[in-house]
Structures are given as C-alpha cells and as structure tokens.
Amino acid sequence: MGELYGIGPAQAHTPTAFGAHHRHPRHPPGIDRPAHPRRPHRTPPPRTSQGHRPPRRRPHPPPLPYSTSAQRRFTIDTLDPTAVRAALLSLAVELGDRLRNRQQATRTVTLTVTLGGHSQITRSHRLESGPSAHTDDLRQTLYDLYADCGSQRARIRAVTGG
C-alpha cells in the first residue's frame, strides 16, 4: 500500500488493518480474489430415449373452497321491516340457486347489515341440520340472524348474505 503515490506510512497502515492487502499486480488493492467467481456446475436434467427432455412438473395448489355472497341495497335508508324481510328472502333465493348450480352446500350463513351511518352489524350461524342448499333453510337462518341484530329502530342501508 505504501507504494502508491500520495500514500504515507500512516495511511498505508489503515487499509491493511481492515484486511486490504496488495497481493497481485493485476488485482487492485483490497480485492483478494477475482471479481466474478466461477458459477457452480449444474447438471442438465436427464433426456429421454428420443433425446427430448421431459416436461417440467409444476405443483398445483389445492383448490380453494368456494364462497358466495349477495347484497341488496336500498335506494334510501329504510325503517320498514317488511322491506328488509323481502330483501332477505331475495338473498336466500339467490344464494340457494348459486349453491345448487355449483352442486354445493353451505355450513355457515353470515349476515351483514349496513346501517345508515355506514356502520355494520355482522352475525354468523352454523346450520344445525348440517350442510344445506335449501332455500327454506337459508331463509329461516337469515331471518333469525336479522332478529339477533336487534335493529328494530335503525335505518338500514343494505343487507349482505353469504
């Protein structure tokens, strides 16, 4: 290090204290090995008798369970329980049709009631009789969940069932 122009003995000692040594004239000071080391050898995959490589197999993740939901929005915030029950019946019919078309059944029904101030009440219930896609089971469960919300005097903006 001391052989470089403008480097005194104190300055030459500092880089060597950190491990930078001048070992070979082709390599600059501070580099002990070549900048691009050789890559490790990689063997190609085996070939078939025709000389072609077999196709790569990629793992397929397991399919996710399907979920479905439907929503009914009211044009204005409503206080009418008859209109809400009609919307819940419509949700039950739509959800039942979707489940039957997919040849599926549901174990749990979730109801989300959106109120006038954008707050939400969510209730969920597991069907006691087991998985079902029957509209009557869904309808009765949605009615029970709505009754559990306790929103007799609240202004309701939307109901979502799934």
Side-chain angles (χ1 to χ4, degrees), residues 44-56:
R47 295 179 181 263
T48 61
S49 60
Q50 290 83 14
H52 300 290
R53 289 186 178 144
R56 287 182 127 179

Side-chain angles (χ1 to χ4, degrees), residues 33-51:
R33 58 192 130 125
H36 301 290
R38 294 177 55 184
R39 292 185 179 179
H41 182 69
R42 183 178 164 269
T43 58
R47 295 179 181 263
T48 61
S49 60
Q50 290 83 14

